[in-house]
Amino acid sequence: MGKKQHSKDRMHLTASEWREEWGGYKDKSRAPFKRLPFHCCAISFLPFEEPVCTLDGIVYDVINVVPYLMKYKQHPVTGQPLQLTELLKLNFAKNADNEYHCPVMSKVFTEHTHIVAIRTSGNVYCYEAIEQLCIKPKNLRDLLSDEPFTRKDIIQIQDPLNTSCRTIDNFDHVARNLSADVAEDPSASSSIRNQTQDMQRALGALQTAEAKAAFERGGGGKRAEAQRMLLDAKAAAVKPPLPRAAAAAAAAAAAAAAAGGGDWRLRAPARKELNPAFKAGAATWDTDDYRDPVALAGGGKKGVKKVAAAEAVAAGKAAAKVGKLTPKERYEQEGHVKYMESFHTTGAASRSFTSTTMEATTKNARTMVVQHRDPTKKGYVRVSTNLGDLNLELHCDIVPRTCENFLALCAMGYYTGTKFHRSIKNFMIQGGDPLGTGLGGESIYGPTFKDEPVSQLTHNGRGILSMANSGPNTNGSQFFITYKSCRHLDIKHTVFGRVVGGFEVLNGMEKVSVGAEDRPLQPITITGIMVFTNPYQEMEDAEKAAALAEKVRKELEDREGGSEANKVGKWFSNPSQLLPGTAPAGQPQQQQPPTRMGVGKYLTQATAQAAMGTGAAKPPSTPAAAAAAGGGGSSNGAQPQASSASQPHRQGQTGSKQDPGSGVGSMGPPAAKKAKVAPTAFSNFDAW
């Protein structure tokens, strides 16, 4: 409310309202922002299939940029002069979901990812991987091909903080409306529906000189032709070869022509029989691998070196295994592995029922699985090297499988004598390989075992102990210790410990100079490992002690006539049983009331007091007197009170005979008349 409450109740539109909210003039400088996505061509604005880029990081599809440069000879975005030789072929990696991602960190590329490419190899990574693994450690080598490069070879494909070069409205070919598309010939139209440009071009050029020339060049559509033109331009820019090299190239070209002709760069690889074939006259399938290992390794001198290195490693592994147990076999042989039956069967009966080659089996056996131990405390070891000692704390309560593998290998001396084969300053030092090449090592679970990713254990700080691997679930015996934080390795590598003592030794390791393949020039060798606390061994000792105690208990029960469960019912079924060991040697045992536990002890006490009465009498002097006194039963029905708790019960004697039913006041109340009870399953109840 107020005196100006109706000041805006106008019956007309102002100039600002008409311009901003209605159909008035709109300033083009304030138009909506349009940015080219990283996976689209800068000419067609469509997702690329064969990406190439310029040195300023603008990405194109080869089928669009090659005709454009052949026609205009200038940059499609900036308008500057540009040649075909300045284009770089890019190698984008895709994951299982067909998304572009970093091949090292597996981070999916989005519009907010900083993407870079390496000029020498054409591989595309996220900038974080290049910064953490190449720039900061000063190891300027490609992370996939290991090719050296410089800081100038890093091409910015997408920088989220600098989007000016990706604004579509600022592109030169958009502002000038330039296009390299060739007008289609109406006479070349066809009645085939949904035909592509390549198909139209092929149908229109049938039985012409152009078709013959295209066939001689190697065939293919516009994409293949653009690739061929790009390769020809790059080949022409290379210096002419020497005479011998030229002769070799001519011989190779002649051989290629004899093999099938066409451009060898675009020719498909030779067909190879990869599936097993059936050998004539044989009873099994041919599973031999006839592929050329050098060709599989990439060919050339590099392929030969890779094959030779692989053969040397295989020979070293075979020589190391001769007469020597694997860690898994040794761990089981020492009795550290405990097996238990699982819920699954071996399936032998099913296989024998459906197969004629399997042995007949009528009963399924349970499969045996390993019963793992999960401790609740930390482990501690000391790793002694030729440079000093490192004290390690192991997270056995968080990652039990990894810590058990490390402690078991330490206890069996698996690491003793091994060398740290890789050290990268400001990154990490790696060891644990008995071969010393980075390609060996096995675990106590087999060649490899699964990762244990835990979010609370990260590569945060100096001295973090983690497992080295060659991919997911490929842990063996190799481990590494970080020189600084490596958060990009979280979840990819299992952290299982940390250094708690000996950081000066770790500093000395980092200062050791390295040579080729980051191998320390001064050997850093593990001379021994001392295990201070092994929770798994403690649990195993406790299990053995409990099993031994249980065995002794069972032996005692068997010696005494069975367990307590088998003795239930004796206290009431035969209460007048003889107690062993109560009679002197050489004399028959006397009958005593049983010793009862629980409520029964009160029944025994009350029955004994009622039977003995309150008076005391002397026992008979001779057996005859005792027989005369007890021949017809008790004379007065009363018994004297026992003088001792250990004295056996005897029937009392009196001077005069009285009826059993009559009582004597001085001798206490008369005894109750006994009823004749037929013997039952509970025996007699006289002692009650």
Side-chain angles (χ1 to χ4, degrees), residues 161-306:
L161 301 179
N162 183 17
T163 60
S164 59
C165 62
R166 306 190 67 83
T167 304
I168 296 179
D169 293 339
N170 297 336
F171 288 179
D172 180 72
H173 73 91
V174 174
R176 299 169 57 188
N177 195 19
L178 300 179
S179 176
D181 295 337
V182 180
E184 297 183 2
D185 186 7
S187 61
S189 59
S190 174
S191 60
I192 301 178
R193 299 177 60 185
N194 300 329
Q195 57 182 342
T196 62
Q197 294 181 1
D198 288 341
M199 186 183 298
Q200 294 176 2
R201 177 172 174 268
L203 293 176
L206 288 177
Q207 297 180 354
T208 61
E210 182 184 1
K212 185 177 180 180
F215 180 77
E216 291 177 354
R217 289 194 302 267
K222 284 188 176 181
R223 186 175 301 278
E225 185 177 357
Q227 292 177 351
R228 189 183 302 110
M229 293 170 65
L230 180 60
L231 292 174
D232 292 339
K234 288 184 175 293
V238 179
K239 295 182 179 180
L242 297 176
R244 291 186 178 180
D263 193 340
W264 63 271
R265 294 167 295 184
L266 300 176
R267 192 166 56 248
R271 182 188 179 99
K272 296 182 179 180
E273 187 66 33
L274 300 181
N275 297 325
F278 188 76
K279 288 183 179 180
T284 59
W285 291 92
D286 181 12
T287 57
D288 297 336
D289 191 359
Y290 296 102
R291 294 176 293 179
D292 186 9
V294 177
L296 293 176
K301 294 183 179 180
K302 290 185 178 180
V304 174
K305 290 182 179 180
K306 289 183 180 180

Side-chain angles (χ1 to χ4, degrees), residues 387-444:
L387 299 182
D389 297 339
L390 292 174
N391 296 332
L392 306 178
E393 180 187 61
L394 306 180
H395 305 302
C396 302
D397 54 337
I398 304 177
V399 281
R401 302 287 76 78
T402 307
C403 292
E404 182 180 7
N405 174 69
F406 183 78
L407 284 171
L409 295 178
C410 291
M412 66 178 61
Y414 190 79
Y415 292 126
T416 304
T418 60
K419 299 179 181 180
F420 287 93
H421 59 274
R422 187 184 182 197
S423 178
I424 302 177
K425 191 176 181 180
N426 295 326
F427 183 32
M428 62 86 199
I429 183 169
Q430 182 176 343
D433 181 13
L435 300 180
T437 60
L439 302 175
E442 296 185 9
S443 68
I444 61 172

Side-chain angles (χ1 to χ4, degrees), residues 81-363:
L82 184 66
Q83 302 296 328
L84 283 176
T85 56
E86 300 180 26
L87 296 179
L88 173 66
K89 186 179 183 302
L90 298 180
N91 302 319
F92 277 87
K94 288 187 176 182
N95 57 12
D97 298 330
N98 201 28
E99 297 174 332
Y100 292 110
H101 74 120
C102 177
V104 176
M105 301 185 64
S106 301
K107 180 184 292 186
V108 177
F109 291 158
T110 64
E111 60 180 0
H112 306 292
T113 308
H114 193 174
I115 306 173
V116 297
I118 305 302
R119 181 180 181 181
T120 57
S121 62
N123 296 327
V124 181
Y125 308 94
C126 63
Y127 181 73
E128 184 180 358
I130 299 299
E131 182 184 19
Q132 296 292 335
L133 300 179
C134 297
I135 298 177
K136 289 186 177 181
K138 298 181 181 179
N139 181 35
L140 298 181
R141 287 182 172 272
D142 192 276
L143 299 176
L144 294 181
S145 61
D146 202 31
E147 298 180 18
F149 64 91
T150 61
R151 292 290 294 269
K152 295 182 179 179
D153 293 331
I154 301 177
I155 302 175
Q156 305 290 334
I157 301 297
Q158 175 179 267
D159 187 358
L161 301 179
N162 183 17
T163 60
S164 59
C165 62
R166 306 190 67 83
T167 304
I168 296 179
D169 293 339
N170 297 336
F171 288 179
D172 180 72
H173 73 91
V174 174
R176 299 169 57 188
N177 195 19
L178 300 179
S179 176
D181 295 337
V182 180
E184 297 183 2
D185 186 7
S187 61
S189 59
S190 174
S191 60
I192 301 178
R193 299 177 60 185
N194 300 329
Q195 57 182 342
T196 62
Q197 294 181 1
D198 288 341
M199 186 183 298
Q200 294 176 2
R201 177 172 174 268
L203 293 176
L206 288 177
Q207 297 180 354
T208 61
E210 182 184 1
K212 185 177 180 180
F215 180 77
E216 291 177 354
R217 289 194 302 267
K222 284 188 176 181
R223 186 175 301 278
E225 185 177 357
Q227 292 177 351
R228 189 183 302 110
M229 293 170 65
L230 180 60
L231 292 174
D232 292 339
K234 288 184 175 293
V238 179
K239 295 182 179 180
L242 297 176
R244 291 186 178 180
D263 193 340
W264 63 271
R265 294 167 295 184
L266 300 176
R267 192 166 56 248
R271 182 188 179 99
K272 296 182 179 180
E273 187 66 33
L274 300 181
N275 297 325
F278 188 76
K279 288 183 179 180
T284 59
W285 291 92
D286 181 12
T287 57
D288 297 336
D289 191 359
Y290 296 102
R291 294 176 293 179
D292 186 9
V294 177
L296 293 176
K301 294 183 179 180
K302 290 185 178 180
V304 174
K305 290 182 179 180
K306 289 183 180 180
V307 172
E311 292 178 353
V313 171
K317 290 182 179 180
K321 289 183 179 180
V322 173
K324 189 176 181 180
L325 296 176
T326 62
K328 179 181 180 180
E329 296 171 348
R330 183 174 176 181
Y331 196 62
E332 293 180 355
Q333 189 177 18
E334 293 176 356
H336 300 296
V337 182
K338 186 177 181 180
Y339 288 93
M340 61 179 297
E341 287 187 352
S342 68
F343 296 102
H344 306 284
T345 63
T346 58
S350 303
R351 290 194 298 269
S352 65
F353 180 75
T354 58
S355 176
T356 58
T357 60
M358 300 298 297
E359 183 180 357
T361 305
T362 59
K363 191 177 294 184

